[in-house]
Amino acid sequence: MATATDLQAGLAYDIEGTGTPVVFLHGLTFDRRTWRPVIDLLDGAVTSIAIDLPAHGDSGGEPTSLERGAERVHLLLHSLGIERPVVAGHSMAAGVAGLYASAHPARGRHAARS
């Protein structure tokens, strides 16, 4: 697992595995560690990208709108060269996932909501 912070997007993330890129977005007051049990079960079968949304976990800054959060996710994925991710969002991050898919329909394959 590699852990980093993208300076342009200002988002901290973990990335691991190979194959289809799957982006994991946590709910309000949580952080990327929320997805650890799911990522462990996937056991590297996909490229898991767990992101700390703005003002959560290791991502700094102030809380932001869902739309701005979706754009920052886009900046991060662009910097990683991720073209067509599956995006999974928990709680309020389901809104971020949906906004990402809506704003970048050719880039996102699915928006999973929970």
Side-chain angles (χ1 to χ4, degrees):
M1 172 179 60
T3 298
T5 299
D6 182 85
L7 298 179
Q8 183 180 8
L11 299 176
Y13 65 95
D14 295 334
I15 186 168
E16 62 186 270
T18 59
T20 302
V22 180
V23 176
F24 295 98
L25 304 174
H26 61 80
L28 187 64
T29 75
F30 292 96
D31 63 26
R32 66 186 187 264
R33 294 173 300 169
T34 299
W35 291 101
R36 177 54 39 202
V38 174
I39 293 168
D40 287 345
L41 286 172
L42 292 170
D43 196 28
V46 300
T47 300
S48 299
I49 306 157
I51 300 172
D52 279 341
L53 292 171
H56 291 80
D58 294 324
S59 291
E62 297 293 317
T64 189
S65 68
L66 297 181
E67 294 83 2
R68 182 67 184 130
E71 283 308 307
R72 288 176 68 180
V73 168
H74 172 69
L75 284 173
L76 171 61
L77 296 178
H78 180 73
S79 75
L80 294 174
I82 304 295
E83 292 281 330
R84 293 179 44 88
V86 174
V87 182
H90 169 255
S91 186
M92 69 97 182
V96 175
L99 288 165
Y100 175 86
S102 170
H104 308 285
R107 293 185 62 88
R109 284 193 250 195
H110 309 283
R113 299 168 190 250
S114 60

